Amino acid sequence: MSLEANVGWVGRLAVAVGSTEPALRLLLSLLVGYPLAICHRHLLFGKSPCLQHIFFMLCGLSVGYFNYGLEVLHSTGCVIILYLNLMLIGGTIISVIFSLVFFMGYLLIGYYYTGTQDYDIKWTMPHCVLTLRLIGVSYDVYDGRKEMDKLTQDQKKSALAKIPSLLEIGGHTYFFGGFLVGPQFSMKRYLNFVSGVFEGRGKVKKPECILPALSRLVLGLVILGVFQMGTLLIPEHYILSSFFEEGSCIMAGLTYNGQDEQGNDLWDGCCNVKLGDYEKTSNFDGVIRSFNINTNLWVAQYIFKRLKFLGNKLLSQAVTLLFLALWHGLHSGYYVCFFNEFIVMKMERDVSSLVDRIPTIKAVLSSGAFHIPLYLLKKCYVLFGMSYCVAPFVLLSASRWLKVYSSLYYVCHIIYLSWPVVYLTIKKTGLVSKEVSHRSKSD
């Protein structure tokens, strides 16, 4: 029997479109979320929550099996472990620590045994999403045992007053709009959704979310199409647009986020990319805030803000970025990339602070004549700097990213790593204080 005879229809289609079979399977699984959302909307919305949990579990397990075969059972085992953890010690700090150590450890072991020198579409891809989700539930049950006045606003929105059932955890885990590649959403948001409850509006019959979902789908298809045409000129590993991640969630109604000032419903509760902001921003902070939004919010709520006891914001940020690097995998490129983020953001905040403290420079840069040239200069800086910083994330192994950096003479690292010395020198010379003092006297 020939090799072609052993290739299924997905494999043949992948060859025809110039993709890999795992990537095409993932794309088809993301797209099937739209008809599944329509089925849920017309057949199960507002019905028994148990039926909805079962529906989501069957859908998620099915698409998981379509992509990874029996390896989807890795997620099932972790769901059961979380449930037992919550039943035995849920609501305690020990439960949270166990979840952090066990689920992160399980993920890292998976990376160790399945990783190669390239990006792999394997069972660890949905499992990294699942890891944050399961840890988040442990935190939410822990927060639910505290007094409400001791919780932050974010914690109040996600805290769980009671331990969720195994069926609820399963439905939350395998919801077809978020199981494979995200986005992240809290258990409380999911439970409100299956109960038909929309914050600020109570129960509704069927949410008006079809058009917002379709617009997100079209946007994703356009972005993916542009990228695919670009690969014809500059070949690259086949990747998938992150804009697909929340479209089926919108169509199902999970992403309801209140109303705007005109009373229009907002469906951006699980929005993972703000495309307009991402394209327009001219600083690194804007890039971070407009991309991979839900993961950033999760890390801020469950890791960064929980590190207040360290008493040092920079140290908390460093530990948070180390957690993110671990979560992504064991390749050295991840750790270099997040180290780059740390030193870049430190320099950006320092420069911004200096400009604000020197009125003369601030006034010049704020003038209309400098607005467009300054924006273009900052945009070019961000485009080059971002490409430089994320190169290790793409190249993964040290032999690859070191070759690229050496060809660029480590130019950005020289700037970023020497900046603390420059910053301290400026502060010690008294340039800033003299400028501020001079302005005060003249006023």
Side-chain angles (χ1 to χ4, degrees):
M1 184 178 292
S2 66
L3 180 62
E4 290 186 2
N6 291 325
V7 178
W9 67 271
V10 180
R12 292 192 294 272
L13 181 59
V15 172
V17 299
S19 170
T20 64
E21 183 173 343
L24 183 59
R25 284 182 180 273
L26 180 58
L27 177 58
L28 293 174
S29 299
L30 295 176
L31 291 175
V32 81
Y34 290 91
L36 289 176
I38 292 175
C39 288
H40 172 266
R41 175 185 177 87
H42 291 289
L43 300 177
L44 290 174
F45 186 84
K47 301 294 175 53
S48 167
C50 289
L51 288 176
Q52 296 184 65
H53 298 322
I54 293 172
F55 174 73
F56 295 140
M57 288 175 63
L58 291 176
C59 291
L61 285 168
S62 296
V63 297
Y65 182 79
F66 175 69
N67 283 271
Y68 311 111
L70 291 179
E71 289 179 335
V72 71
L73 295 180
H74 284 287
S75 62
T76 305
C78 286
V79 165
I80 294 173
I81 292 295
L82 173 67
Y83 177 69
L84 294 175
N85 171 23
L86 295 179
M87 290 300 295
L88 295 174
I89 54 175
T92 66
I93 190 63
I94 297 176
S95 172
V96 174
I97 294 174
F98 174 84
S99 292
L100 279 166
V101 173
F102 179 83
F103 295 124
M104 279 296 293
Y106 196 101
L107 178 64
L108 291 175
I109 292 173
Y111 284 146
Y112 178 80
Y113 282 104
T114 65
T116 66
Q117 293 300 307
D118 296 303
Y119 282 97
D120 304 300
I121 301 179
K122 297 180 178 179
W123 67 267
T124 51
M125 176 179 284
H127 204 86
C128 75
V129 178
L130 176 64
T131 296
L132 297 191
R133 192 164 295 166
L134 298 180
I135 293 173
V137 173
S138 297
Y139 266 118
D140 294 338
V141 172
Y142 173 67
D143 291 338
R145 299 293 176 89
K146 297 179 181 178
E147 297 179 9
M148 289 296 290
D149 58 355
K150 294 183 178 180
L151 300 178
T152 66
Q153 288 301 117
D154 290 336
Q155 292 169 353
K156 289 177 181 178
K157 291 179 180 179
S158 58
L160 297 170
K162 68 181 185 68
I163 295 174
S165 68
L166 182 59
L167 204 57
E168 290 171 334
I169 297 174
H172 179 229
T173 295
Y174 293 111
F175 179 76
F176 52 78
F179 172 55
L180 292 177
V181 292
Q184 293 292 345
F185 50 88
S186 68
M187 170 67 81
K188 194 167 185 179
R189 173 181 286 275
Y190 170 77
L191 294 177
N192 286 340
F193 161 67
V194 295
S195 299
V197 175
F198 290 78
E199 188 176 352
R201 296 183 60 188
K203 286 196 173 186
V204 298
K205 291 184 177 180
K206 288 182 181 178
E208 300 297 327
C209 53
I210 297 295
L211 288 179
L214 291 177
S215 66
R216 200 67 181 176
L217 171 61
V218 171
L219 178 60
L221 290 172
V222 170
I223 295 297
L224 185 58
V226 170
F227 173 84
Q228 198 62 10
M229 286 188 290
T231 58
L232 297 176
L233 300 174
I234 307 175
E236 182 54 272
H237 294 298
Y238 188 87
I239 63 173
L240 299 172
S241 169
S242 62
F243 296 99
F244 284 105
E245 295 179 6
E246 71 263 14
S248 56
C249 294
I250 297 174
M251 187 170 286
L254 178 70
T255 65
Y256 182 75
N257 200 27
Q259 298 177 321
D260 60 18
E261 296 178 354
Q262 287 73 41
N264 300 313
D265 292 336
L266 297 174
W267 298 102
D268 58 356
C270 293
C271 179
N272 223 26
V273 180
K274 293 182 178 179
L275 183 59
D277 293 346
Y278 180 82
E279 294 295 342
K280 291 184 295 184
T281 187
S282 59
N283 57 57
F284 282 94
D285 183 62
V287 172
I288 294 171
R289 290 179 180 275
S290 60
F291 186 78
N292 212 7
I293 297 170
N294 285 286
T295 299
N296 292 335
L297 290 175
W298 189 99
V299 172
Q301 179 175 346
Y302 294 111
I303 303 297
F304 180 75
K305 293 180 181 178
R306 310 275 176 163
L307 295 173
K308 285 184 178 180
F309 67 90
L310 295 177
N312 186 296
K313 193 172 182 179
L314 273 179
L315 182 57
S316 296
Q317 184 185 7
V319 174
T320 300
L321 292 174
L322 176 60
F323 174 86
L324 274 174
L326 275 170
W327 177 63
H328 278 89
L330 301 175
H331 292 293
S332 61
Y334 295 135
Y335 299 86
V336 175
C337 177
F338 286 106
F339 172 72
N340 291 344
E341 179 181 335
F342 180 80
I343 58 178
V344 165
M345 291 306 300
K346 176 67 168 64
M347 178 175 168
E348 186 170 284
R349 284 192 294 266
D350 288 346
V351 171
S352 179
S353 175
L354 284 177
V355 170
D356 287 340
R357 293 163 62 188
I358 305 178
T360 301
I361 295 179
K362 186 177 181 180
V364 171
L365 296 179
S366 300
S367 65
F370 282 92
H371 181 71
I372 293 179
L374 181 62
Y375 172 81
L376 293 176
L377 180 63
K378 290 169 64 179
K379 188 66 177 178
C380 291
Y381 161 72
V382 167
L383 289 174
F384 175 77
M386 182 62 66
S387 300
Y388 182 96
C389 289
V390 302
F393 193 98
V394 176
L395 299 174
L396 299 178
S397 63
S399 60
R400 294 176 179 177
W401 56 261
L402 279 173
K403 182 178 181 180
V404 173
Y405 278 169
S406 63
S407 69
L408 295 171
Y409 305 102
Y410 300 91
V411 57
C412 288
H413 277 104
I414 292 174
I415 295 172
Y416 299 140
L417 292 177
S418 62
W419 169 251
V421 177
V422 175
Y423 182 59
L424 288 175
T425 303
I426 294 174
K427 292 180 69 175
K428 285 186 177 182
T429 58
L431 176 63
V432 176
S433 58
K434 288 178 182 178
E435 169 73 13
V436 174
S437 176
H438 176 74
R439 293 280 301 186
S440 299
K441 290 179 179 179
S442 63
D443 290 341

